[in-house]
Amino acid sequence: VIPPSSLLIEWDPIANATRYKVWRSLSPAGPFDTVVGTTIGAVNGIQIFVANEPPNAYYLIQAFNGDCGGPLL
């Protein structure tokens, strides 16, 4: 059960990804310059606690293989 003060973000796994970062923006056009979550391993979702987040936030996911990051999805 996801508490009302959190948001579950899920995505399709990216081949060879070893971790993911979740970025936030206050505009759908960006910039996505605030990291609000990170994962370790080949997972396909993260729970973000939004109690202190802005009410109108937009999120993008970035996959990593080691230190190499891919494009924001």
Side-chain angles (χ1 to χ4, degrees):
V1 175
I2 302 297
S5 61
S6 65
L7 172 68
L8 179 62
I9 301 175
E10 296 179 305
W11 56 86
D12 291 330
I14 302 296
N16 301 317
T18 57
R19 62 188 174 101
Y20 296 89
K21 283 187 181 179
V22 179
W23 296 83
R24 183 193 74 215
S25 175
L26 301 180
S27 165
F32 289 85
D33 54 4
T34 303
V35 175
V36 295
T38 59
T39 70
I40 297 174
V43 299
N44 68 333
I46 189 171
Q47 184 176 341
I48 303 293
F49 294 97
V50 294
N52 295 321
E53 290 285 305
N56 295 316
Y58 301 86
Y59 301 93
L60 289 178
I61 310 303
Q62 185 179 28
F64 283 80
N65 183 319
D67 291 331
C68 298
L72 294 174
L73 307 172

